[in-house]
Coordinates of all heavy atoms in Angstrom, one line a residue:
Chain A
S64 N -59.1 11.0 22.1 CA -58.4 11.0 20.8 C -59.1 10.1 19.8 O -59.2 10.5 18.6 CB -56.9 10.6 21.0 OG -56.3 10.8 19.7
R106 N -65.3 17.0 23.1 CA -65.1 17.0 21.7 C -65.2 18.4 21.2 O -64.4 18.7 20.3 CB -66.3 16.1 21.1 CG -66.0 15.8 19.7 CD -66.9 14.6 19.3 NE -67.2 14.8 17.8 CZ -66.2 14.7 16.9 NH1 -65.0 14.4 17.3 NH2 -66.4 14.8 15.6
M110 N -62.3 20.3 19.0 CA -62.6 21.0 17.7 C -62.1 22.3 17.8 O -61.4 22.9 16.8 CB -64.0 21.0 17.4 CG -64.6 19.5 16.9 SD -66.3 19.4 17.0 CE -66.9 20.7 16.1
S113 N -58.3 22.7 17.5 CA -57.7 22.3 16.2 C -58.0 23.4 15.1 O -57.6 23.3 14.0 CB -58.2 20.9 15.7 OG -59.5 21.0 15.3
R114 N -58.9 24.4 15.5 CA -59.2 25.4 14.6 C -58.2 26.5 14.7 O -58.1 27.2 15.7 CB -60.6 26.0 14.8 CG -60.8 27.1 13.9 CD -62.2 27.8 14.2 NE -63.3 26.7 14.1 CZ -64.1 26.4 15.1 NH1 -64.0 27.1 16.2 NH2 -65.0 25.4 15.0
N116 N -57.7 29.1 12.5 CA -58.3 30.3 12.0 C -59.2 30.9 13.1 O -59.5 30.3 14.2 CB -59.2 30.0 10.8 CG -58.7 30.5 9.5 OD1 -58.0 31.5 9.5 ND2 -59.0 29.8 8.5
S117 N -59.7 32.1 12.9 CA -60.8 32.6 13.8 C -62.0 31.8 13.7 O -62.4 31.3 12.6 CB -61.1 34.1 13.5 OG -59.9 34.9 13.7
G118 N -62.7 31.7 14.8 CA -64.1 31.0 14.8 C -65.1 32.1 14.9 O -64.8 33.2 15.3
L119 N -66.3 31.8 14.5 CA -67.4 32.7 14.6 C -67.9 32.6 16.0 O -68.4 31.6 16.5 CB -68.5 32.4 13.6 CG -69.7 33.3 13.6 CD1 -69.4 34.7 13.2 CD2 -70.8 32.8 12.7
G121 N -70.0 35.2 17.4 CA -71.4 35.8 17.5 C -71.7 36.6 16.3 O -70.8 37.0 15.5
L122 N -72.9 36.9 16.2 CA -73.4 37.7 15.1 C -74.6 38.5 15.6 O -75.6 38.0 16.1 CB -73.9 36.8 13.9 CG -74.2 37.4 12.5 CD1 -74.4 36.2 11.5 CD2 -75.4 38.2 12.5
S123 N -74.5 39.9 15.4 CA -75.6 40.8 15.7 C -75.9 41.6 14.5 O -75.0 41.9 13.7 CB -75.2 41.7 16.9 OG -74.6 41.0 17.9
W124 N -77.1 42.1 14.4 CA -77.3 43.0 13.3 C -78.5 43.9 13.5 O -79.3 43.7 14.5 CB -77.8 42.1 12.0 CG -78.8 41.1 12.2 CD1 -78.8 39.9 12.7 CD2 -80.2 41.4 11.9 NE1 -80.1 39.3 12.7 CE2 -81.0 40.2 12.2 CE3 -80.9 42.6 11.4 CZ2 -82.3 40.1 12.1 CZ3 -82.4 42.4 11.2 CH2 -83.0 41.3 11.5
R125 N -78.6 44.9 12.7 CA -79.9 45.7 12.7 C -80.0 46.3 11.3 O -79.1 46.2 10.5 CB -79.9 46.9 13.7 CG -78.9 48.0 13.4 CD -79.2 49.3 14.2 NE -78.4 50.4 13.6 CZ -77.2 50.8 14.1 NH1 -76.6 50.2 15.0 NH2 -76.6 51.8 13.5
V126 N -81.2 46.7 11.0 CA -81.6 47.3 9.7 C -81.9 48.8 9.9 O -82.8 49.1 10.7 CB -82.6 46.6 8.9 CG1 -83.1 47.3 7.7 CG2 -82.2 45.2 8.6
A143 N -78.4 47.2 6.0 CA -78.2 46.3 7.2 C -76.9 46.4 7.7 O -75.8 46.6 6.9 CB -78.5 44.9 6.7
I144 N -76.7 46.5 9.0 CA -75.4 46.6 9.7 C -75.3 45.3 10.5 O -76.1 45.0 11.3 CB -75.3 47.9 10.6 CG1 -75.5 49.1 9.7 CG2 -74.0 47.9 11.2 CD1 -75.7 50.4 10.5
I145 N -74.2 44.7 10.1 CA -73.9 43.3 10.7 C -72.6 43.4 11.5 O -71.6 43.9 10.9 CB -73.9 42.2 9.6 CG1 -75.3 42.1 9.0 CG2 -73.4 40.9 10.2 CD1 -75.3 41.4 7.8
E146 N -72.6 42.9 12.7 CA -71.4 42.8 13.4 C -71.0 41.4 13.7 O -71.8 40.6 14.3 CB -71.5 43.6 14.8 CG -70.2 43.6 15.5 CD -70.3 44.4 16.8 OE1 -70.9 43.8 17.7 OE2 -69.8 45.5 16.9
E157 N -62.4 39.7 18.1 CA -62.3 40.8 17.2 C -63.6 41.1 16.6 O -64.4 40.2 16.4 CB -61.3 40.4 16.1 CG -61.0 41.5 15.0 CD -60.4 40.8 13.8 OE1 -60.0 39.8 13.8 OE2 -60.3 41.6 12.8
F158 N -64.0 42.3 16.5 CA -65.3 42.7 15.9 C -65.2 43.2 14.5 O -64.5 44.2 14.3 CB -66.1 43.6 16.9 CG -66.4 43.0 18.3 CD1 -65.6 43.0 19.3 CD2 -67.6 42.3 18.4 CE1 -65.7 42.4 20.5 CE2 -67.9 41.7 19.6 CZ -67.0 41.7 20.7
C160 N -67.5 44.9 11.6 CA -68.7 45.6 11.3 C -68.9 45.8 9.8 O -68.0 46.4 9.1 CB -68.8 46.9 12.0 SG -70.4 47.5 12.3
L161 N -70.0 45.3 9.2 CA -70.2 45.3 7.8 C -71.6 46.0 7.5 O -72.5 45.8 8.2 CB -70.2 43.9 7.3 CG -68.9 43.1 7.4 CD1 -69.1 41.6 7.0 CD2 -67.8 43.6 6.5
E162 N -71.6 46.7 6.3 CA -72.8 47.3 5.9 C -73.2 46.7 4.6 O -72.4 46.5 3.7 CB -72.4 48.8 5.6 CG -73.5 49.8 5.9 CD -72.9 51.2 5.8 OE1 -72.8 51.6 4.6 OE2 -72.8 51.9 6.7
F163 N -74.5 46.4 4.5 CA -75.0 45.8 3.3 C -76.3 46.6 2.8 O -77.1 46.8 3.7 CB -75.5 44.4 3.5 CG -74.4 43.4 3.9 CD1 -74.0 43.2 5.2 CD2 -73.7 42.7 3.0 CE1 -73.0 42.4 5.7 CE2 -72.7 41.8 3.3 CZ -72.3 41.7 4.7
K167 N -77.0 43.5 -1.9 CA -75.9 42.8 -1.4 C -76.3 41.6 -0.5 O -75.9 40.6 -0.5 CB -75.0 43.7 -0.6 CG -73.5 43.3 -0.4 CD -72.8 43.6 -1.7 CE -71.4 43.0 -1.8 NZ -70.5 43.9 -2.3
I171 N -75.6 37.7 -1.0 CA -75.0 36.8 0.1 C -75.9 35.6 0.3 O -75.5 34.5 0.5 CB -74.8 37.6 1.4 CG1 -74.0 38.9 1.3 CG2 -74.2 36.7 2.5 CD1 -72.5 38.6 0.9
L172 N -77.2 35.9 0.4 CA -78.2 34.8 0.6 C -78.1 33.7 -0.4 O -78.1 32.6 -0.1 CB -79.5 35.5 0.7 CG -80.6 34.8 1.6 CD1 -80.0 34.8 3.0 CD2 -81.9 35.7 1.6
T174 N -75.4 33.0 -2.2 CA -74.2 32.3 -1.8 C -74.4 31.3 -0.7 O -74.0 30.2 -0.8 CB -73.0 33.3 -1.5 OG1 -72.9 34.2 -2.6 CG2 -71.7 32.6 -1.3
L175 N -75.1 31.8 0.3 CA -75.3 30.9 1.5 C -76.1 29.7 1.1 O -76.0 28.6 1.7 CB -75.9 31.7 2.7 CG -75.0 32.7 3.2 CD1 -75.7 33.4 4.4 CD2 -73.7 32.2 3.7
S176 N -77.0 29.8 0.1 CA -77.9 28.7 -0.2 C -77.0 27.7 -1.0 O -77.2 26.4 -0.9 CB -79.1 29.1 -1.1 OG -78.7 29.4 -2.4
V178 N -73.9 27.2 -0.2 CA -73.2 26.5 0.9 C -74.0 25.4 1.5 O -73.6 24.3 1.8 CB -72.7 27.5 2.0 CG1 -72.0 26.8 3.1 CG2 -71.8 28.6 1.4
E179 N -75.3 25.8 1.7 CA -76.2 24.8 2.3 C -76.4 23.6 1.4 O -76.3 22.4 1.9 CB -77.6 25.4 2.5 CG -78.5 24.5 3.3 CD -80.0 24.9 3.2 OE1 -80.4 25.4 2.1 OE2 -80.6 24.8 4.2
I186 N -73.5 15.6 3.6 CA -74.0 14.8 4.7 C -74.7 13.7 4.1 O -74.8 12.6 4.8 CB -74.9 15.8 5.5 CG1 -74.1 16.7 6.3 CG2 -75.8 14.9 6.5 CD1 -75.0 17.8 7.0
Chain B
M1 N -76.6 32.4 22.1 CA -76.4 33.7 21.5 C -77.7 34.3 21.1 O -78.6 33.7 20.6 CB -75.5 33.4 20.3 CG -74.6 34.6 20.0 SD -74.0 34.7 18.4 CE -75.5 35.1 17.5
S5 N -84.0 40.4 16.4 CA -83.7 41.5 15.5 C -84.1 42.8 16.3 O -83.7 43.9 15.8 CB -84.5 41.4 14.3 OG -85.9 41.4 14.6
L9 N -78.4 47.4 17.7 CA -77.0 47.0 17.7 C -76.1 48.0 18.2 O -76.1 49.2 17.7 CB -76.7 46.6 16.2 CG -75.2 46.4 15.9 CD1 -74.8 45.2 16.7 CD2 -75.0 46.1 14.4
A11 N -72.7 48.8 18.1 CA -71.5 48.1 17.4 C -70.3 48.3 18.2 O -70.0 49.5 18.7 CB -71.3 48.6 16.0
K12 N -69.5 47.3 18.5 CA -68.2 47.4 19.2 C -67.1 47.9 18.3 O -66.0 48.2 18.8 CB -67.9 46.0 19.9 CG -68.9 45.7 21.0 CD -68.6 44.3 21.6 CE -69.8 43.9 22.5 NZ -71.1 43.8 21.9
S13 N -67.3 47.8 17.1 CA -66.2 48.2 16.1 C -66.5 49.6 15.7 O -67.6 50.0 15.4 CB -66.2 47.2 14.9 OG -65.6 47.8 13.8
V15 N -65.4 51.1 13.0 CA -65.3 51.2 11.5 C -66.4 50.3 10.8 O -66.4 49.1 11.2 CB -63.9 50.9 10.9 CG1 -63.9 51.1 9.5 CG2 -62.9 51.8 11.6
T16 N -67.2 50.8 9.9 CA -68.1 50.0 9.2 C -67.4 49.7 7.8 O -67.0 50.7 7.2 CB -69.4 50.6 9.0 OG1 -69.8 51.1 10.3 CG2 -70.4 49.8 8.4
N17 N -67.4 48.5 7.4 CA -66.8 48.1 6.1 C -67.9 47.7 5.1 O -68.9 47.2 5.5 CB -65.8 47.0 6.4 CG -64.7 47.3 7.4 OD1 -63.7 48.0 7.0 ND2 -65.0 46.9 8.7
Q18 N -67.5 47.8 3.9 CA -68.2 47.3 2.8 C -67.7 45.9 2.4 O -66.5 45.7 2.4 CB -68.2 48.2 1.5 CG -68.8 49.6 1.8 CD -70.3 49.6 1.9 OE1 -70.9 48.9 1.0 NE2 -70.8 50.4 2.8
L19 N -68.6 45.0 2.1 CA -68.2 43.6 1.7 C -67.8 43.7 0.3 O -68.6 44.1 -0.6 CB -69.2 42.7 2.0 CG -68.7 41.3 1.6 CD1 -67.7 40.7 2.6 CD2 -70.0 40.3 1.7
W24 N -66.0 31.0 0.0 CA -66.3 30.0 1.0 C -65.7 28.6 0.5 O -65.6 28.4 -0.7 CB -67.7 29.9 1.3 CG -68.6 29.5 0.2 CD1 -69.2 30.2 -0.8 CD2 -68.9 28.1 -0.2 NE1 -69.8 29.5 -1.7 CE2 -69.7 28.2 -1.4 CE3 -68.7 26.8 0.3 CZ2 -70.3 27.0 -2.0 CZ3 -69.2 25.7 -0.3 CH2 -70.0 25.8 -1.5
L26 N -66.1 24.3 2.0 CA -66.6 23.4 2.9 C -65.4 22.4 3.1 O -64.9 21.7 2.2 CB -67.8 22.6 2.3 CG -68.5 21.7 3.2 CD1 -69.0 22.3 4.5 CD2 -69.6 21.0 2.5
R36 N -57.0 12.0 17.1 CA -56.9 11.2 15.9 C -58.2 11.1 15.2 O -58.2 10.8 14.0 CB -56.3 9.8 16.3 CG -54.9 9.8 16.8 CD -53.9 10.2 15.6 NE -52.6 10.1 16.1 CZ -51.9 11.0 16.7 NH1 -52.4 12.2 16.8 NH2 -50.7 10.8 17.0
S37 N -59.3 11.3 15.8 CA -60.5 11.1 15.2 C -61.4 12.2 15.3 O -62.4 12.3 16.1 CB -61.2 9.8 15.8 OG -62.5 9.6 15.2
L38 N -61.1 13.4 14.6 CA -61.8 14.6 14.7 C -63.2 14.5 13.9 O -64.2 14.8 14.5 CB -61.0 15.8 14.1 CG -60.1 16.5 14.9 CD1 -59.3 17.5 14.2 CD2 -60.7 17.2 16.1
K39 N -63.1 14.2 12.6 CA -64.2 14.0 11.8 C -65.3 15.0 11.9 O -66.5 14.7 12.1 CB -64.9 12.6 12.2 CG -64.2 11.3 12.0 CD -65.0 10.1 12.2 CE -65.9 10.3 13.5 NZ -65.6 9.2 14.5
Y40 N -65.0 16.3 11.7 CA -66.1 17.2 11.6 C -66.0 18.2 10.5 O -64.9 18.6 10.1 CB -66.2 18.1 12.9 CG -65.1 19.0 13.1 CD1 -65.2 20.4 12.7 CD2 -63.9 18.7 13.8 CE1 -64.3 21.3 12.9 CE2 -62.9 19.7 14.0 CZ -63.1 20.9 13.6 OH -62.1 21.9 13.8
V49 N -63.0 43.0 2.7 CA -63.8 44.1 3.1 C -63.0 45.4 2.8 O -61.8 45.4 3.0 CB -64.2 44.0 4.6 CG1 -65.0 42.8 4.8 CG2 -63.0 44.0 5.5
K59 N -60.5 38.9 5.8 CA -60.8 38.4 7.0 C -61.2 37.0 6.9 O -62.1 36.7 6.0 CB -61.9 39.1 7.8 CG -61.6 40.5 8.1 CD -60.6 40.6 9.3 CE -60.4 42.1 9.7 NZ -59.3 42.2 10.7
F61 N -62.5 33.3 8.7 CA -63.0 32.6 9.8 C -63.7 31.3 9.4 O -64.0 31.0 8.3 CB -64.0 33.5 10.6 CG -65.3 33.8 9.9 CD1 -66.4 33.0 10.1 CD2 -65.4 34.9 9.1 CE1 -67.6 33.4 9.5 CE2 -66.6 35.2 8.4 CZ -67.7 34.5 8.7
E62 N -64.0 30.5 10.5 CA -64.6 29.2 10.3 C -65.9 29.1 11.1 O -65.9 29.7 12.2 CB -63.6 28.1 10.6 CG -62.5 27.9 9.6 CD -61.5 26.8 10.1 OE1 -61.9 26.0 11.0 OE2 -60.4 26.8 9.7
T64 N -68.7 26.0 12.4 CA -69.2 24.5 12.3 C -70.5 24.5 11.6 O -71.1 25.5 11.4 CB -69.3 24.0 13.8 OG1 -70.3 24.7 14.5 CG2 -68.0 24.1 14.6
Q67 N -73.3 25.9 13.6 CA -73.2 27.4 13.6 C -73.9 28.0 12.4 O -74.4 29.1 12.3 CB -71.8 27.9 13.8 CG -71.3 27.8 15.2 CD -69.9 28.5 15.3 OE1 -69.0 28.0 14.5 NE2 -69.7 29.3 16.2
F68 N -73.7 27.3 11.2 CA -74.1 27.7 9.9 C -75.7 27.6 9.9 O -76.5 28.5 9.6 CB -73.5 27.0 8.8 CG -73.9 27.5 7.5 CD1 -73.6 28.6 6.9 CD2 -74.9 26.7 6.7 CE1 -74.0 29.1 5.7 CE2 -75.3 27.1 5.5 CZ -74.9 28.3 4.9
Q69 N -76.1 26.4 10.2 CA -77.5 26.1 10.2 C -77.8 24.8 11.0 O -77.5 23.7 10.6 CB -78.0 25.8 8.8 CG -79.4 25.3 8.7 CD -80.3 26.2 7.8 OE1 -80.4 27.4 8.0 NE2 -80.9 25.6 6.8
L72 N -79.3 21.1 9.8 CA -78.7 20.3 8.8 C -78.1 19.0 9.4 O -77.9 18.0 8.7 CB -77.5 21.1 8.1 CG -77.9 22.1 7.1 CD1 -76.8 22.8 6.6 CD2 -78.8 21.5 5.9
L73 N -77.7 19.0 10.7 CA -77.2 17.9 11.4 C -78.0 17.4 12.4 O -78.4 18.2 13.3 CB -75.8 18.3 12.0 CG -74.5 18.2 11.1 CD1 -73.3 18.5 12.0 CD2 -74.4 16.9 10.5
F84 N -76.0 31.3 11.3 CA -75.5 32.3 10.3 C -76.5 32.4 9.2 O -77.0 33.6 8.9 CB -74.2 31.8 9.8 CG -73.4 32.9 9.1 CD1 -72.7 33.8 9.7 CD2 -73.4 32.9 7.7 CE1 -71.9 34.8 9.1 CE2 -72.6 33.9 7.0 CZ -71.9 34.8 7.6
Y85 N -76.9 31.3 8.6 CA -77.7 31.4 7.4 C -79.2 31.9 7.7 O -79.7 32.8 7.1 CB -77.9 29.9 6.8 CG -78.6 29.8 5.6 CD1 -78.7 30.9 4.7 CD2 -79.0 28.5 5.1 CE1 -79.3 30.7 3.4 CE2 -79.7 28.4 3.9 CZ -79.8 29.5 3.0 OH -80.4 29.3 1.8
Q87 N -80.0 33.9 10.2 CA -80.0 35.3 10.5 C -79.9 36.2 9.2 O -80.5 37.1 9.1 CB -78.8 35.6 11.4 CG -79.0 34.9 12.7 CD -78.5 35.8 13.9 OE1 -78.9 36.8 14.1 NE2 -77.5 35.2 14.5
I91 N -82.5 39.0 8.0 CA -82.1 40.3 7.6 C -82.7 40.6 6.2 O -83.3 41.8 6.0 CB -80.5 40.4 7.5 CG1 -79.9 40.3 8.9 CG2 -80.1 41.8 6.8 CD1 -78.4 40.1 8.8
A92 N -82.7 39.7 5.4 CA -83.3 39.9 4.0 C -84.8 40.3 4.1 O -85.3 41.1 3.5 CB -83.1 38.7 3.1
V98 N -88.5 47.6 4.9 CA -88.1 49.0 5.4 C -88.4 50.0 4.3 O -88.0 49.7 3.1 CB -86.7 49.0 5.8 CG1 -86.2 50.4 6.1 CG2 -86.5 48.1 7.1

Side-chain angles (χ1 to χ4, degrees):
Chain A
S64 186
R106 193 165 153 67
M110 279 162 56
S113 71
R114 176 184 305 124
N116 250 330
S117 294
L119 180 67
L122 194 168
S123 311
W124 60 271
R125 71 164 191 264
V126 171
I144 299 169
I145 293 163
E146 184 180 74
E157 180 197 348
F158 293 88
C160 203
L161 300 170
E162 211 176 74
F163 298 88
K167 205 79 193 222
I171 303 291
L172 215 51
T174 304
L175 295 181
S176 77
V178 178
E179 187 194 40
I186 290 171
Chain B
M1 211 204 72
S5 59
L9 170 62
K12 294 176 185 66
S13 157
V15 180
T16 310
N17 302 277
Q18 296 287 317
L19 184 68
W24 63 272
L26 183 61
R36 290 294 185 267
S37 183
L38 274 175
K39 300 186 312 242
Y40 72 90
V49 300
K59 295 286 182 192
F61 66 93
E62 290 177 17
T64 61
Q67 282 182 308
F68 180 77
Q69 172 126 305
L72 287 173
L73 271 187
F84 194 80
Y85 190 19
Q87 295 216 60
I91 294 167
V98 170

